[in-house]
Amino acid sequence: TRELVGFAGVEPQLSERWEGALGLEARTWNEPGRTASGVGGLVRLQQVDAAGMPRAQRAANLTGAYQRVSAVGELPGARLGRAHLKVIPFGRYGWGRRLPLQATFALGGTEGFPGLTLGERRGSREVLAGLRVQYALGRWLFAEASGQGGATDAEGDAIPDARWLGGAAIGFGADTPVGSLRVRYGRNTLGRGSVLVRAGSWW
């Protein structure tokens, strides 16, 4: 696909960790079998970490050509007693109508889904929920295990009708002042496994 996007509006710094965006977005694109354009409103609210990378985001694009609403984030991790163990619930939700191919939701988003290639299982709706457990090995380094389930589907009701896919992953990570590093192995209920190596944050 090819696309051109323009934005005019404001992006206020709401607090040390919260940023917003409000304005008009113009987009024109070409994908196999379709050329379209649209102008509409964009609203976005996101939380960033100490390195300035997004950790949670809520966004809505409402144009004459398509509509897209999404929410991605995680709850503050709870430490278990005095242990170096941290439990973090996380989730994703997305709904769209007449979405451009590049704006559809891939299961797991830029974090991926265990056992799948990044960008797989795209659809106009997505629901995902999971739990991540981290054990601190040092100031920045930690071991991690996670389990999650989710589904994507074509246009329809608010919740996807497709069968949910489950997955689990184990690995190591580091959250440094200049960005994050993740190395993990994941496997899903389809029997597929994959290794993910990621530096920085993809958003």
Side-chain angles (χ1 to χ4, degrees):
T1 64
R2 294 172 295 169
E3 75 172 351
L4 179 65
V5 181
F7 172 78
V10 294
E11 293 186 332
Q13 185 75 36
L14 303 175
S15 68
E16 182 181 357
R17 294 292 175 87
W18 285 94
E19 303 172 345
L22 176 65
L24 292 176
E25 182 182 83
R27 183 187 300 259
T28 181
W29 71 93
N30 176 271
E31 60 182 273
R34 183 187 182 194
T35 299
S37 60
V39 178
L42 169 67
V43 179
R44 183 175 64 242
L45 178 66
Q46 67 180 17
Q47 182 185 33
V48 298
D49 60 18
M53 296 293 103
R55 304 298 292 181
Q57 187 182 86
R58 289 83 173 162
N61 298 78
L62 305 176
T63 78
Y66 72 94
Q67 293 82 48
R68 187 181 195 272
V69 178
S70 65
V72 180
E74 57 186 37
L75 296 178
R79 293 192 180 277
L80 301 182
R82 295 184 178 181
H84 297 285
L85 206 61
K86 193 174 183 180
V87 180
I88 307 168
F90 61 93
R92 295 174 54 86
Y93 176 77
W95 174 89
R97 189 166 69 92
R98 295 186 297 178
L99 290 178
L101 180 62
Q102 67 275 14
T104 54
F105 301 98
L107 188 59
T110 55
E111 291 294 318
F113 191 90
L116 297 183
T117 302
L118 284 174
E120 266 196 82
R121 297 229 165 185
R122 304 193 75 92
S124 295
R125 294 174 294 160
E126 179 196 15
V127 174
L128 181 144
L131 193 68
R132 183 181 303 116
V133 179
Q134 293 180 349
Y135 184 83
L137 300 174
R139 184 178 179 184
W140 296 322
L141 183 65
F142 56 84
E144 181 177 80
S146 65
Q148 56 193 281
T152 55
D153 206 351
E155 291 187 19
D157 297 331
I159 303 299
D161 300 319
R163 183 178 178 181
W164 277 46
L165 181 65
I170 56 173
F172 295 92
D175 288 324
T176 74
V178 295
S180 64
L181 176 66
R182 298 287 188 274
V183 179
R184 69 172 183 250
Y185 172 78
R187 196 167 182 83
N188 58 44
T189 50
L190 295 177
R192 292 175 54 186
S194 66
V195 175
L196 175 69
V197 180
R198 177 171 64 82
S201 295
W202 305 336
W203 201 266

